[in-house]
Amino acid sequence: MAAGIRGTRGRRPPGPGTTATPGPGEPEGREETEDPAGGRYDSRAGGRDDGRAGGRDDGRDDGRAGGRDDSRAGGREEVARPPLLREFVLVTALFLVYKFGRLVANGHEARAFRNADLVWDAERALHLPGEGTIQQLLMHGEPLIRAANTYYAAVHFPATIAFLCWLYWRRPAHYVWSRRVLALVTAAALALHLLMPLAPPRMLAATGLVDTARVYGPSVYGATPEADSMANQFAAMPSLHFGWALMVAIGLIAATRSRWRVLWLLHPLLTLLVIVGTANHYWLDALAAAALLGLALLAVRAPDRSGTAPPTVPHQRRTSTLPAGALR
């Protein structure tokens, strides 16, 4: 009777979230339970959650290892160093084009002096400090003014060349960026020299400034500006002395990681004091160069700071085997 009431043991009907349980005479199989995420896991054998491992976890691993890490590794790969001979020819050609282009701008002395009067009056209208204030500071002693003249004559080109050479060997990506920026700034400056010839303040009688290079030496210019075949002395605006010095500082700050790298800004600051104190440039010449440099920096995409770091090794997710019967 009891057996009739209890019934014969057989397959248990499946309930929600489970599969049918085998009867006494049926082979035991795996009991699978549906996972809320849409997959199944084997509760008897402790197998992997197919839905989680195959769908969500594998997808996450692929996304992390294949997507994020690969993109980081690709972003940090160093740019190949350009061929040295090609770069030497290119930089030399750019320098020669600029040098001869400045000479083409000669022969406009009358316009250059008219423009100088306009620039001088504009600075006074803007209440900029007088260039004579800086020159008086430098002329306290003859060694100081000679040092300023030497800095103007001897630091401009060597510092820029040393900057490019160091970037070429140590930071190729930053070298390509800096060379392009300098080329744009120089080309824009040459165009402005042709469109607006400008006599420097040392030639303008209204300024009352001394031509320190001619009086104390050394000087890189001829005694007669109109007959100077080595340089165009009527190309004061913009000041490439300041523009290049500022780019050297910006390039080194971007390419290095030292906590003291901001001190590279002392180079353009000292250059500014020298070009104004020696009466070779107006304040507005430096401002014009800074504006051209800013436009060039906007036009040329800078390399990532991580571009200087070595490529990273793609992340590999560690897997572990769970004991049989353990639920994840």
Side-chain angles (χ1 to χ4, degrees):
M1 188 67 177
I5 295 175
R6 295 173 61 185
T8 304
R9 184 177 180 183
R11 177 185 293 271
R12 184 186 304 169
T18 62
T19 57
T21 303
E26 297 179 355
E28 294 186 0
R30 295 184 303 173
E31 181 177 345
E32 296 179 346
T33 303
E34 294 180 359
D35 180 68
R40 295 176 180 271
Y41 65 85
D42 184 359
S43 62
R44 292 176 59 86
R48 295 182 62 186
D49 185 336
D50 296 336
R52 294 181 180 177
R56 187 171 58 188
D57 287 349
D58 288 349
R60 184 184 302 169
D61 290 347
D62 293 340
R64 289 181 178 177
R68 184 176 61 186
D69 289 343
D70 288 352
S71 62
R72 288 182 180 179
R76 293 185 180 183
E77 289 180 357
E78 296 184 358
V79 176
R81 186 178 292 109
L84 179 60
L85 180 60
R86 188 192 71 179
E87 290 302 310
F88 177 78
V89 172
L90 179 61
V91 173
T92 303
L94 290 175
F95 170 76
L96 292 177
V97 168
Y98 167 72
K99 199 70 175 177
F100 286 110
R102 283 170 58 99
L103 294 177
V104 172
N106 275 333
H108 303 284
E109 292 81 6
R111 287 177 54 199
F113 281 102
R114 285 198 302 269
N115 291 333
D117 289 330
L118 294 175
V119 170
W120 182 257
D121 293 340
E123 287 190 344
R124 307 291 76 78
L126 294 173
H127 302 288
L128 294 178
E131 287 82 351
T133 303
I134 306 299
Q135 187 172 84
Q136 291 175 5
L137 293 176
L138 295 180
M139 295 185 67
H140 275 302
E142 186 172 335
L144 183 59
I145 193 63
R146 283 182 176 273
N149 291 335
T150 303
Y151 191 93
Y152 180 85
V155 174
H156 176 48
F157 284 110
T160 307
I161 293 173
F163 162 71
L164 290 175
C165 290
W166 185 85
L167 287 183
Y168 179 84
W169 290 111
R170 300 297 298 274
R171 301 290 187 268
H174 288 84
Y175 164 78
V176 174
W177 168 61
S178 300
R179 187 247 293 153
R180 290 173 179 172
V181 171
L182 286 173
L184 280 179
V185 171
T186 304
L190 177 59
L192 195 56
H193 292 161
L194 295 173
L195 294 174
M196 184 183 171
L198 180 66
R202 56 185 167 82
M203 295 183 184
L204 197 62
T207 65
L209 298 174
V210 177
D211 187 347
T212 60
R214 184 177 61 83
V215 175
Y216 299 97
S219 176
V220 294
Y221 299 117
T224 306
E226 296 82 358
D228 193 349
S229 59
M230 297 300 296
N232 178 14
Q233 300 191 42
F234 299 102
M237 180 179 290
S239 169
L240 283 182
H241 270 74
F242 180 74
W244 286 11
L246 185 57
M247 182 57 207
V248 168
I250 292 175
L252 289 174
I253 290 174
T256 57
R257 297 179 180 272
S258 170
R259 67 178 63 182
W260 304 104
R261 63 185 183 275
V262 69
L263 294 179
W264 288 114
L265 290 174
L266 292 176
H267 174 48
L269 177 60
L270 183 58
T271 300
L272 177 61
L273 296 177
V274 166
I275 64 175
V276 172
T278 57
N280 281 292
H281 288 283
Y282 306 90
W283 294 111
L284 288 180
D285 297 341
L287 292 177
L292 291 180
L293 178 60
L295 293 175
L297 290 172
L298 291 176
V300 182
R301 181 179 178 182
D304 296 334
R305 287 194 60 83
S306 59
T308 61
T312 58
V313 178
H315 173 74
Q316 295 181 355
R317 186 182 179 91
R318 293 181 298 177
T319 58
S320 60
T321 305
L322 296 176
L327 294 179
R328 295 188 64 188

